[in-house]
Amino acid sequence: MLVISRKIGESFMVGDDIEIKILKIEGAEVKIGISAPLYVKIYRSEIYQKIVQENKIAAQTNVDNLKGVIPGD
């Protein structure tokens, strides 16, 4: 993991298109701003992990159990 120290108002780049800026530091909380192209998906890590888990569960679903759920089936 790369560790970068920044102060409020400072930023760093990820690639050519993504800028991460430190907006505010309050106690143990840091507010950051992210400027990125719309095609870049940005998730809090706990949300991303939940999406990955739900996708794994969906991939294991038996297609026969979906009969009647999908119109025309």
Side-chain angles (χ1 to χ4, degrees), residues 52-71:
V52 168
Q53 184 63 30
E54 292 295 324
N55 285 340
K56 285 180 181 176
I57 291 170
Q60 296 172 353
T61 300
N62 184 341
V63 178
D64 292 335
N65 293 339
L66 299 176
K67 288 187 177 182
V69 175
I70 300 171

Side-chain angles (χ1 to χ4, degrees), residues 3-42:
V3 178
I4 300 173
S5 295
R6 300 276 66 197
K7 296 177 182 172
I8 294 173
E10 294 181 337
S11 63
F12 58 92
M13 299 296 296
V14 177
D16 294 330
D17 299 333
I18 301 170
E19 181 180 18
I20 312 290
K21 186 173 186 177
I22 306 303
L23 301 176
K24 188 176 186 181
I25 301 171
E26 259 182 23
E29 186 174 284
V30 177
K31 292 189 187 244
I32 59 173
I34 304 169
S35 298
L38 292 176
Y39 63 85
V40 175
K41 296 178 181 176
I42 301 170

